[in-house]
Amino acid sequence: MVMKTEKNRQTANLELVKQSNLTLVFNFINAHQPVSRASIARATGLSPTTVSSLADELISENMIEETGMGTLHGSGRKPIMLAVKTDGGCVVAVEVRKGTLEFEVFDLKGNSVVYQKCGISDYEKLGDIIADEVEKIYKGHGRLLGICVGVPGIVDKRTKRVLSKLIPVNRDNNFFDVLRMRFPDVKIKLGNESSFCAYIEKVEAKKDIHSLVYIDINVGIGSGIILDDRIYTGAFGNAGEFGHMSVDADGRVCKCGNRGCIEEMAGPPAICKALGVSSISEIDTNDKSVYEKLDDICKYFACGINNIMNMINPEAVVLGGEVTYLGQPFLDRIKKKLDEIMFSADPEVFSLRFSSVSGNAVTKGGGKYLLDRIFEDGDFIIE
Ligand SMILES: [Zn+2]
């Protein structure tokens, strides 16, 4: 019995190694194509035999192709070059919003090939509505390899259910199970939208970075965490509740029951209240006195960001959402406060900035995350 378990474990380990090597080779080809088998072996440290066998598998899966002879460096035969087969497959990323669903199809090179919106009113049928649209939208772009769904809510990792106040989806809604039934052979990822925003911010960052926190500042404040290039959501899926981090133990009572939460003390409603306006877009950003009135708000944000720095020490913190309307002077004021209190980051590396991603960051980030891990196994595979 023990022998059998050990053997199963070894088989599982071998399978994991293979998946990780396939990911390594496929992603290397995608980043450096056209490229020879010998170059892949040199760059990845895998043996030439392993690279050849993995390349054969990717060719038989129709995911890469031989594109002809490359140039010869030194003596011997000219190498045969490999490139990703653009139409060899695709992934579909979906953003579930209030009243609409947004879909984006990506080819194997990560190019966006279709972007489409549709209205939704009956969230009880969310699983079937997503599945019907996905079936229509990916046609003509090769085999469907994966679906990634981003939602504005907490995803329970254990039950694969979502709890959201922004869309009418609660723990009874089994849309993930419906998708799993409708697409039994397809990789499906489900995650909080801020996680996918965080991932695309990391991918599109000017520097090569591996850790980042994205804070989405709207009426609700959420965040997405990237650690070692992966989305981190914690043991239960609730990590990243930046909005409910307290910055004043004696502050105002928040709807969560705690006191002094950032969402309560510094979110858009608090900003509007401090300035006597009803929405952020009414604020005159040319009026310098505006920023002086937001001094406490900036202090609260700096305090919260400093807590993030002390806890997980990311290379970048990116702010997005409606608060970006307040522009650079707002960010500069937070930075100044942060500089006064932060001691745990290298100023040469660390950056605090506004989001710079164009297009739909949720679908872009979800699609990229899925493509970067397309060989990873498992049903519900968000970390
Ligand atoms: Zn709270």
Side-chain angles (χ1 to χ4, degrees):
M1 211 46 204
V2 173
M3 291 284 287
K4 197 175 172 193
T5 312
E6 179 62 15
K7 194 160 174 39
N8 286 349
R9 199 177 60 81
Q10 283 173 0
T11 313
N13 282 346
L14 279 175
E15 189 51 39
L16 268 181
V17 170
K18 192 178 158 200
Q19 282 167 15
S20 131
N21 287 344
L22 271 172
T23 304
L24 185 64
V25 169
F26 181 74
N27 290 353
F28 186 83
I29 296 172
N30 221 339
H32 300 92
Q33 56 198 316
V35 65
S36 70
R37 289 170 175 81
S39 305
I40 300 170
R42 263 197 308 275
T44 59
L46 296 170
S47 76
T49 326
T50 305
V51 169
S52 275
S53 117
L54 294 168
D56 286 349
E57 181 161 348
L58 288 169
I59 290 170
S60 74
E61 291 282 325
N62 206 27
M63 295 178 76
I64 63 167
E65 60 189 342
E66 294 182 335
T67 56
M69 298 292 191
T71 22
L72 185 64
H73 302 285
S75 58
R77 282 184 298 158
K78 278 187 180 172
I80 299 167
M81 306 304 274
L82 300 170
V84 166
K85 201 158 185 285
T86 310
D87 58 358
C90 66
V91 297
V92 181
V94 188
E95 182 187 8
V96 183
R97 304 177 63 127
K98 193 177 174 187
T100 54
L101 298 174
E102 306 203 4
F103 296 82
E104 192 157 14
V105 183
F106 298 91
D107 67 22
L108 284 187
K109 285 183 181 160
N111 302 310
S112 169
V113 287
V114 185
Y115 188 82
Q116 191 176 293
K117 290 185 190 184
C118 77
I120 175 166
S121 52
D122 188 358
Y123 284 83
E124 292 300 312
K125 297 195 181 110
L126 182 60
D128 277 317
I129 293 170
I130 292 177
D132 291 346
E133 288 300 315
V134 167
E135 269 172 1
K136 278 187 264 174
I137 197 173
Y138 88 88
K139 291 274 152 54
H141 300 286
R143 195 160 47 109
L144 177 66
L145 296 170
I147 302 168
C148 181
V149 183
V151 291
I154 292 171
V155 179
D156 186 322
K157 292 169 90 158
R158 195 174 46 83
T159 60
K160 302 161 195 173
R161 299 288 172 94
V162 169
L163 192 61
S164 180
K165 293 186 183 78
L166 297 172
I167 49 170
V169 171
N170 56 38
R171 286 195 200 280
D172 299 333
N173 196 311
N174 67 342
F175 75 91
F176 183 89
D177 305 326
V178 173
L179 286 174
R180 175 46 63 225
M181 255 168 357
R182 294 271 303 261
F183 301 99
D185 303 320
V186 165
K187 301 278 161 73
I188 305 178
K189 279 187 188 285
L190 169 66
N192 181 280
E193 56 184 11
S194 295
S195 300
F196 299 128
C197 293
Y199 192 68
I200 199 68
E201 292 289 349
K202 184 206 89 77
V203 169
E204 294 192 1
K206 290 196 181 81
K207 288 181 192 152
D208 184 23
I209 58 170
H210 309 280
S211 57
L212 177 146
V213 173
Y214 170 80
I215 309 172
D216 193 27
I217 307 169
N218 297 301
V219 174
I221 300 180
S223 77
I225 302 168
I226 306 297
L227 288 180
D228 295 336
D229 298 314
R230 303 186 81 92
I231 289 171
Y232 179 76
T233 59
F236 311 106
N238 292 8
E241 282 292 343
F242 180 78
H244 296 287
M245 189 183 272
S246 178
V247 286
D248 182 354
D250 300 315
R252 288 192 298 276
V253 176
C254 172
K255 62 176 186 277
C256 73
N258 196 0
R259 279 185 180 273
C261 291
I262 291 181
E263 192 170 296
E264 174 64 33
M265 305 300 283
I271 292 172
C272 291
K273 199 170 164 217
L275 298 173
V277 295
S278 57
S279 90
I280 281 197
S281 60
E282 282 173 36
I283 296 167
D284 178 7
T285 52
N286 292 316
D287 178 358
K288 285 207 173 67
S289 74
V290 156
Y291 298 100
E292 277 154 36
K293 289 177 193 155
L294 295 179
D295 203 54
D296 279 346
I297 302 267
C298 292
K299 188 179 73 187
Y300 292 134
F301 276 118
C303 185
I305 293 165
N306 188 48
N307 288 345
I308 291 178
M309 296 311 296
N310 286 335
M311 187 57 78
I312 57 174
N313 230 231
E315 291 154 293
V317 172
V318 178
L319 310 184
E322 58 180 307
V323 83
T324 56
Y325 175 82
L326 294 169
Q328 197 62 36
F330 182 69
L331 190 66
D332 287 344
R333 205 164 265 261
I334 298 175
K335 270 185 185 164
K336 193 164 167 287
K337 302 269 176 200
L338 189 60
D339 283 344
E340 288 165 16
I341 53 176
M342 183 171 72
F343 64 89
S344 58
D346 177 352
E348 295 291 313
V349 180
F350 175 71
S351 73
L352 171 67
R353 58 177 174 82
F354 281 144
S355 166
S356 55
V357 171
S358 60
N360 185 330
V362 178
T363 50
K364 272 173 98 173
K368 180 70 178 149
Y369 198 68
L370 191 48
L371 275 174
D372 285 350
R373 289 156 181 79
I374 202 66
F375 302 103
E376 284 182 11
D377 229 343
D379 181 22
F380 176 67
I381 45 180
I382 188 132
E383 284 81 2

